[in-house]
Amino acid sequence: MTRLYLSCDSCALSVGADELAQALTAQLGEQIDLQRTSTRGMFWLEPLLEVETPQGRVGYGPLTTEDLPSLLAADLLNGGDHPLCIGLVEQHPYLARQQRLTFASLGHNRPLVMEDYAAQGGWSGLQRALTLSAQQIVDEVKESGLRGRGGAAFPTGIKWQTVLDAQAPYHRGFDEAVKFIVCNADEGDSGTFSDRLVMEDNPFQLIEGMLIAALATGATRGYIYLRAEYPHAHRVLQQAITLAEQQGYLGEAILGSHHRFHLQVRLAAGAYICGEETALLESLEGKRGMVRAKPPLPALEGLFGQPTVVNNVISLASVPLILNKGGAYYRDFGQGRSRGTMPLQLAGNIRQGGLVEVAFGVTLREILYDFGGGSASGRPIKAVQIGGPLGAYIPPAHFDTPLDYEALAAIGGMVGHGGIVVFDDQADLGQMAAFAMEFCALESCGKCTPCRIGSTRAQEVLARIRQGEDAEDNLALLTDLCDTMEQASLCALGGMAPYPVKSIVKYFGEELHSVSQTPSAGGQH
Amino acid sequence: MAAHIPLAPVESSTEARIRTLASDLKQQPGALLPILHAVQDTFGYVPECTAAVLATELALSRAEVHGVISFYHHFRTRPAGAHVLHICRAEACQSMGSAALERDIKQLLNIDYHQTTADGSVTLEPVYCLGNCACSPNIRLDDAIHGRMTLARTERLLQQLKEGQA
Ligand SMILES: Cc1cc2nc3c(=O)[nH]c(=O)nc-3n(C[C@H](O)[C@H](O)[C@H](O)COP(=O)(O)O)c2cc1C
Ligand code: SF4
Ligand code: FES
């Protein structure tokens, strides 16, 4: 019997992995043992079928059921050669050049099989944490230099320290002096999917990270606030939590200790602003997702007024390894004040889109060309937007910038959640500037005027500029509006929505007037 | 969250069912969103009487409940078609031509966003990222995401729906 591997991740499913699995089973039945694993994160190759051979796993992709006859004729079950064969998967340069720490298990585990998680080193971080004091756990995370991967890049250890030191008041609804761990799984930024990968492909890693956060801070309850756009992740997480409860990882007396931790998934309802941590907390409390003024910090008065850790999925999923191997191990990756690895997500018009986890410091050019292989269309890359819908559009002149928090900030960009969206020379960036403001208007929580009204005004002004009406006056007006939004908005939605617009004005100004031209008019760059 | 089967609107039983859904969930703090999800999963939308029923059940004002329902894009207050088709409008999908796909699908179905086809089979909604941005452009049909979409593939999916295979 030959062992085959095929991903059950929603990306693989979205391009036909289940149909392929059915066809394989129908045709090969007893001859194969088909395992549905996590994805490798090489999404342009999905569905990627891997065959176990004495030399290692040989990969084929992207496949459709129509490729099966020719694959079988090419001796698929012995790793035979075929136009869609990529050779030994582990040696593929895309993977071989990465430093996968947080995503080390990708491709090696079945997401909901606990034995697979343990075989990949799962639960070792938790086991070590159970032998440490809360302060020792916090110190380990501080030592790692981990900064929040959700966007704001705040040091995770310092946030945990605040919650550890906070005195929780008694809460009637929970009948205890409760502290919370809230996992921000709203992953609203376009071009990002690393949170989804953790949740769908290795859900126990997130559970372990949240457990360690609970031990570190004295929290007894946790919520995963999950975006409604991820139905597959929702199902996987629910099952993973049930399994973890059955095995004594969640609930009372975690692994026989005196610690307890209860974890629930809560589904969001399609509002980008609920990724902002205070709006998220309002939403978890059953209210409109309105941003709260800070202070008080959520760490001190968070969910239901109790001390609360709010961390992104990737931040939490990085913690098991930090506890397992030590903070210093993690810190030794990266450069400057950007420590460890960053799971970058290559998306949009890119030939080899997928997950690229590397230590901080790799340049944008290496990511786009060495990993990404250039644009999907084969045309010149004109711009990349990094860090989601509030991130700047960066021109090729800056492609040699190393990816770290400070270096990107120096050119007006941001790492954010690590999404990199690629545009070729046919993209209409004037349209993207208008879209940035349209999105801000659509998603504004409405609490402050510069964001609520300013974004709508900016759309109108942009439309006039694109029609060629009083371009100069309107451009001045646009700059004014952007400045006001930046300076007077309560949160980063209104405060940063001007970034994409201003970057387009700065680097691609002539495209603002391109509304009447053909789309290829951007090709002069 | 499977395909929504429209139900006969018998008002009194609707209220009773919403009350039952609420009573299962309302003990937990911050129960309003979970309850609204349960309501929409059951009816395919949030019926008009929901605000009044939940206001009583959760000791909130009707305005508060209404405010929450209207804040979130996910909750719809009118019945949906048998299937819901979301088209991703976010940046990565745009970089791979989602604007043209969007235009073509609207034309094919002869409806705009937030509308339902004349035969009641499909409701069209925009969505801002489905987390599949390396395989853009993307759509979501009920609970399944479909990547590398083209008009032809969309047509095939809709055809399969008609034949009851999707
Ligand atoms: C408009 C807006 C949207 C945000 N969306 C997300 C999100 O989807 N996921 C996330 O983890 N953080 C998001 N954040 C950042 C959170 O407010 C917060 O910084 C983060 O959850 C903290 O976790 P971390 O320190 O682990 O990154 C968003 C912030 C803003 C202003
Ligand atoms: S900037 Fe916008 S989203 Fe943020 S608080 Fe103000 S209105 Fe709400
Ligand atoms: S931008 Fe369309 S799936 Fe992310």
Side-chain angles (χ1 to χ4, degrees):
Chain A
M1 190 158 27
T2 308
R3 182 167 284 178
L4 303 182
Y5 304 87
L6 183 65
S7 165
C8 56
D9 169 278
S10 68
C11 173
L13 301 184
S14 83
V15 287
D18 274 350
E19 291 76 5
L20 186 63
Q22 274 168 19
L24 281 164
T25 311
Q27 292 195 30
L28 297 169
E30 303 290 283
Q31 288 179 65
I32 57 165
D33 164 23
L34 179 62
Q35 300 215 342
R36 301 302 298 273
T37 61
S38 53
T39 177
R40 294 277 188 173
M42 301 195 284
F43 289 131
W44 78 99
L45 291 171
E46 293 288 4
L48 171 65
L49 181 67
E50 300 181 27
V51 181
E52 194 147 272
T53 75
Q55 289 72 43
R57 292 199 208 166
V58 176
Y60 301 84
L63 299 185
T64 69
T65 50
E66 276 116 65
D67 297 315
L68 271 189
S70 71
L71 280 167
L72 292 175
D75 199 16
L76 168 78
L77 295 186
N78 289 304
D81 201 20
H82 183 277
L84 293 173
C85 180
I86 61 159
L88 290 172
V89 179
E90 302 274 340
Q91 288 176 12
H92 193 287
Y94 198 80
L95 282 184
R97 278 205 298 257
Q98 295 194 32
Q99 286 139 312
R100 286 204 173 159
L101 302 184
T102 305
F103 285 98
S105 299
L106 275 193
H108 298 285
N109 69 310
R110 289 162 294 176
L112 285 165
V113 177
M114 282 198 125
E115 293 75 25
D116 285 11
Y117 185 58
Q120 293 294 318
W123 307 120
S124 333
L126 173 66
Q127 255 135 16
R128 174 149 177 264
L130 281 166
T131 68
L132 302 177
S133 70
Q135 186 60 54
Q136 285 171 318
I137 303 173
V138 170
D139 288 343
E140 199 77 78
V141 174
K142 277 186 190 161
E143 159 128 54
S144 75
L146 177 66
R147 290 164 74 179
R149 301 289 190 241
F154 188 82
T156 305
I158 293 176
K159 188 182 284 186
W160 290 16
Q161 184 74 59
T162 311
V163 177
L164 170 62
D165 294 341
Q167 201 63 39
Y170 175 80
H171 189 287
R172 262 184 56 203
F174 295 93
D175 192 23
E176 61 173 318
V178 61
K179 295 180 185 177
F180 295 104
I181 307 297
V182 170
C183 170
N184 188 341
D186 202 46
E187 194 156 65
D189 289 359
S190 160
T192 67
F193 41 77
S194 59
D195 294 351
R196 177 181 70 68
L197 285 182
V198 170
M199 296 186 284
E200 289 183 1
D201 293 88
N202 210 12
F204 298 120
Q205 190 179 349
L206 175 59
I207 294 174
E208 185 179 356
M210 291 184 77
L211 275 161
I212 294 169
L215 296 177
T217 55
T220 50
R221 290 180 181 273
Y223 292 95
I224 299 171
Y225 184 82
L226 175 69
R227 69 197 310 245
E229 291 83 349
Y230 284 179
H232 188 63
H234 189 211
R235 284 187 292 270
V236 176
L237 282 174
Q238 299 273 32
Q239 291 176 47
I241 289 174
T242 305
L243 286 168
E245 283 168 350
Q246 285 166 357
Q247 305 271 323
Y249 289 99
L250 289 173
E252 300 293 321
I254 295 159
L255 295 183
S257 71
H258 65 280
H259 298 284
R260 60 200 161 85
F261 188 61
H262 295 271
L263 180 58
Q264 249 191 46
V265 183
R266 280 282 185 89
L267 213 51
Y272 178 75
I273 193 58
C274 289
E276 194 283 332
E277 59 186 3
T278 62
L280 185 160
L281 295 174
E282 290 286 301
S283 182
L284 269 179
E285 291 181 8
K287 304 177 197 153
R288 299 159 67 96
M290 301 288 273
V291 173
R292 294 178 185 169
K294 283 191 250 188
L297 289 175
L300 298 173
E301 286 178 46
L303 185 60
F304 301 111
Q306 306 295 113
T308 303
V309 169
V310 183
N311 269 142
N312 171 255
V313 174
I314 300 294
S315 314
L316 290 162
S318 306
V319 167
L321 176 106
I322 290 169
L323 264 289
N324 185 15
K325 301 222 168 166
Y329 175 84
Y330 190 80
R331 189 202 55 213
D332 287 345
F333 293 85
Q335 63 176 29
R337 288 178 51 229
S338 305
R339 310 309 315 183
T341 57
M342 185 72 202
L344 298 166
Q345 300 125 84
L346 261 180
N349 197 333
I350 188 85
R351 199 156 72 84
Q352 303 188 150
L355 180 87
V356 179
E357 183 180 356
V358 284
F360 286 97
V362 174
T363 68
L364 196 45
R365 192 179 302 282
E366 288 172 88
I367 296 291
L368 294 174
Y369 295 97
D370 297 353
F371 287 94
S375 71
S377 59
R379 304 184 63 92
I381 296 178
K382 175 160 72 178
V384 297
Q385 187 183 30
I386 308 183
L390 311 176
Y393 284 82
I394 295 178
H398 284 311
F399 284 179
D400 289 313
T401 308
L403 285 168
D404 79 20
Y405 294 116
E406 279 70 30
L408 267 180
I411 59 161
M414 62 166 172
V415 177
H417 188 45
I420 300 180
V421 179
V422 181
F423 294 82
D424 76 4
D425 64 352
Q426 295 203 303
D428 176 356
L429 294 183
Q431 160 59 28
M432 298 318 293
F435 178 78
M437 285 299 170
E438 183 188 340
F439 185 73
C440 181
L442 187 71
E443 299 296 337
S444 169
C445 85
K447 190 155 180 162
C448 45
T449 322
C451 167
R452 189 182 71 239
I453 309 287
S455 52
T456 303
R457 289 287 101 73
Q459 273 184 79
E460 295 161 4
V461 175
L462 271 162
R464 286 204 292 271
I465 295 174
R466 280 159 64 69
Q467 299 297 343
E469 264 177 58
D470 302 330
E472 220 158 286
D473 289 354
N474 277 313
L475 205 56
L477 189 54
L478 181 68
T479 310
D480 254 14
L481 270 167
C482 284
D483 288 347
T484 309
M485 287 177 71
E486 250 182 89
Q487 285 154 22
S489 294
L490 182 60
C491 85
L493 180 56
M496 291 175 63
Y499 287 17
V501 177
K502 282 169 59 170
S503 66
I504 290 170
V505 171
K506 180 168 174 192
Y507 298 120
F508 306 98
E510 64 278 32
E511 290 201 28
L512 285 178
H513 314 287
S514 69
V515 74
S516 55
Q517 299 170 25
T518 55
S520 61
Q524 301 113 15
H525 297 275
Chain B
M1 304 229 306
H4 309 304
I5 303 147
L7 293 157
V10 184
E11 194 60 352
S12 62
S13 87
T14 301
E15 286 169 15
R17 289 179 68 192
I18 293 172
R19 211 165 283 125
T20 312
L21 290 170
S23 68
D24 288 347
L25 295 165
K26 72 178 182 190
Q27 303 323 325
Q28 49 179 313
L32 186 50
L33 251 65
I35 295 173
L36 288 173
H37 274 293
V39 169
Q40 179 150 309
D41 289 350
T42 304
F43 298 96
Y45 73 111
V46 178
E48 201 182 327
C49 64
T50 306
V53 177
L54 294 186
T56 318
E57 290 296 305
L58 300 173
L60 298 167
S61 75
R62 270 170 73 164
E64 275 173 288
V65 181
H66 182 77
V68 170
I69 296 170
S70 63
F71 183 85
Y72 294 97
H73 301 302
H74 179 80
F75 298 125
R76 67 168 67 84
T77 50
R78 278 179 304 163
H83 302 278
V84 180
L85 178 66
H86 285 93
I87 306 177
C88 179
R89 294 197 66 220
E91 289 88 344
C93 285
Q94 289 195 47
S95 79
M96 290 299 282
S98 65
L101 182 67
E102 179 178 29
R103 187 194 57 219
D104 292 346
I105 293 178
K106 282 181 181 174
Q107 224 163 47
L108 176 74
L109 297 175
N110 199 20
I111 48 174
D112 204 338
Y113 283 130
H114 315 301
Q115 295 179 345
T116 303
T117 52
D119 65 356
S121 64
V122 179
T123 299
L124 194 63
E125 298 285 353
V127 66
Y128 296 87
C129 196
L130 293 161
N132 202 30
C133 332
C135 294
S136 297
N138 290 287
I139 65 165
R140 172 178 171 180
L141 186 53
D142 296 327
D143 266 2
I145 290 158
H146 299 273
R148 299 179 197 140
M149 277 324 272
T150 58
L151 182 62
R153 279 194 68 206
T154 312
E155 277 179 300
R156 219 174 310 143
L157 280 172
L158 292 171
Q159 191 58 35
Q160 283 170 356
L161 273 191
K162 270 204 190 122
E163 292 158 10
Q165 311 164 358

